[in-house]
Amino acid sequence: MITDKQTTTASERNRLDVAGLRQLVEARAGLRLIDVRTPGEFDTVHIPGSCNVPLSVLREHRDELCQHLHEPMVLICRSGQRAARAEQALAAAGLSYLRVLDGGITAWQAAGAPVRHGRVRWDLERQVRLVAGSIVLTAVLASVVFPPAKWLAAAIGAGLTFAAVSNTCAMGMLLAKLPYNRGPRTDLDTVVAALARDRR
């Protein structure tokens, strides 16, 4: 008979809760904390001692980055979803000492764990809600005088539905490219330099 324990996926086994990470950090367990959010998100708030390796940079330069990632790692993002994608990419490259912070930095902050603050920005999810909601509201109001405008609201609804089903968000990716969200420059050379500096 197969139990629930036996059917746990590898991704679920690699999850680490906030309490577990706090214990490891306090014990100075030789972990490398890798935050895969955008530079802007990282600049706004991050766990002290973490290094920003945006998911886009990690995916594009995975093999080069793997040469600099030797310690056990905990991957962090806002909620755990992007970190799980980073885990899959790094595991496919042969790294096996990976954990994902369950609930991401949102759970970390909710638990009152220490963070370092920078420039205040709205997170991407909140920005998506604002932009999508504003477009839908404008389209519905405009449809009173120009009925075809309702199809713009329908298109946004379809896009949000697709985003939920595919676990991607085109609007979020576009908003991340805005200067407001970019934060400090983060390319491969910058990331590699930060990884080397953190190792010292």
Side-chain angles (χ1 to χ4, degrees):
M1 183 172 110
I2 298 176
T3 67
D4 288 341
K5 205 171 215 178
Q6 291 172 308
T7 58
T8 302
T9 66
S11 180
E12 290 168 336
R13 284 195 302 273
N14 290 341
R15 294 278 175 166
L16 181 65
D17 64 15
V18 170
L21 179 55
R22 288 187 81 167
Q23 287 177 351
L24 291 171
V25 168
E26 288 165 9
R28 301 186 180 277
L31 288 177
R32 187 178 281 279
L33 305 180
I34 302 292
D35 191 318
V36 300
R37 294 175 301 151
T38 65
E41 289 175 291
F42 181 82
D43 187 47
T44 299
V45 62
H46 60 269
I47 298 173
S50 59
C51 184
N52 186 214
V53 183
L55 184 58
S56 58
V57 174
L58 186 148
R59 283 178 162 165
E60 186 177 350
H61 302 286
R62 181 190 68 186
D63 294 333
E64 298 100 308
L65 287 169
C66 285
Q67 298 170 21
H68 303 276
L69 298 171
H70 307 293
E71 305 89 342
M73 277 178 284
V74 177
L75 301 165
I76 303 157
C77 67
R78 182 180 180 277
S79 64
Q81 294 180 359
R82 281 177 281 178
R85 291 198 290 271
E87 178 202 8
Q88 291 169 356
L90 292 171
L95 299 183
S96 57
Y97 36 86
L98 306 164
R99 305 292 292 273
V100 171
L101 177 60
D102 200 17
I105 194 150
T106 301
W108 182 265
Q109 288 181 282
V115 292
R116 185 163 291 139
H117 290 280
R119 178 181 168 193
V120 177
R121 291 179 179 88
W122 281 14
D123 63 48
L124 280 176
E125 184 179 312
R126 187 176 181 189
Q127 292 177 50
V128 167
R129 290 195 305 260
L130 174 68
V131 172
S134 298
I135 293 172
V136 169
L137 178 61
T138 302
V140 169
L141 293 175
S143 70
V144 173
V145 292
F146 183 64
K150 67 184 177 194
W151 294 110
L152 179 57
I156 295 296
L160 292 172
T161 302
F162 178 77
V165 171
S166 65
N167 199 23
T168 61
C169 184
M171 188 179 292
M173 288 185 274
L174 288 173
L175 289 171
K177 295 179 187 300
L178 294 175
Y180 172 81
N181 289 317
R182 279 196 203 132
R185 181 174 169 266
T186 307
D187 57 14
L188 178 62
D189 294 335
T190 307
V191 168
V192 168
L195 290 171
R197 184 174 60 248
D198 288 352
R199 184 174 285 119
R200 290 201 293 268

